[in-house]
Amino acid sequence: MLFDSHAHYNDSAFDDNRHELLSKMQDNGVGYILNAADSMRSVEEILDLSDKYSFLYASVGVHPEEVGELTEADMEKLKRAAEHKKVRAVGEIGLDYHYDDVPKELQKKWFARQIDLAHELGLPVIIHDRDAHSDCLEILRERHVEQVGGVMHCYSGSAEMAREVLDLGFYLGFGGTLTFKNAKKVQKAAAAVPIERIVLETDCPYLAPEPYRGTQNSSLLMHFVAEKLAEIKGISPQDVEEITCRNARNLYRI
Ligand code: NI
């Protein structure tokens, strides 16, 4: 059984086929999906979805590109939202230096603040790190993230950095990019990370795996990722599914 540890089914890209897709999951081997929040508005949307589908879980948190206008009152709102029984993590939070819409200092402030929120709630974190590896690791260490645990989602760093993330007790999330022809670095990292510390994800509607690269992604395409990881690890796709599903259930305490 597959566990999609990071999805965005609230995204408007699914407005035309959300229910059609979600109603197919359980018959196609997808047993669990966690929708990751990325803005204040998305929190409400994914909690609504979690009420409608038994296999959907949720996180609360604000993506680094959305922190521009955050306030302490929003932190209180997230805290209250986290009382919902399907909320299993704080995220996705982190740093994104790819675009410079939000100043770095502001990103760092709200990243640290939301790790503190995870401590307050006793929940693991879902980390978004794009082109910000060293600042990201520094804040994770400084805020003692090893006490709450978490996952480095859509891992894109080197095998060396993966070791530092593993030292924090983290899981690493791999998705469609693992199947891309030019993804040698990610494939090397996946080879270096023990299977016991890997979770699978889609980040859908983005990052569809080969041979569907560039189209709308969904958890129904995740077996292409499982097959690629099986090839890298030299084990069966069934074992990959079982082990990564167990890992995600441990991570999110399901
Ligand atoms: Ni995401």
Side-chain angles (χ1 to χ4, degrees), residues 6 8 92 153 203:
H6 190 114
H8 299 282
E92 54 186 294
H153 125 75
D203 206 17

Side-chain angles (χ1 to χ4, degrees), residues 87-128:
V87 171
R88 297 308 164 104
V90 170
E92 54 186 294
I93 60 174
L95 300 173
D96 194 319
Y97 293 170
H98 189 73
Y99 305 104
D100 47 10
D101 306 348
V102 182
K104 288 182 181 176
E105 287 312 309
L106 201 59
Q107 290 193 34
K108 287 186 191 175
K109 173 191 157 176
W110 288 108
F111 181 28
R113 177 65 186 90
Q114 292 185 92
I115 297 173
D116 292 350
L117 180 70
H119 279 286
E120 289 166 34
L121 294 168
L123 291 174
V125 290
I126 301 169
I127 303 299
H128 172 99

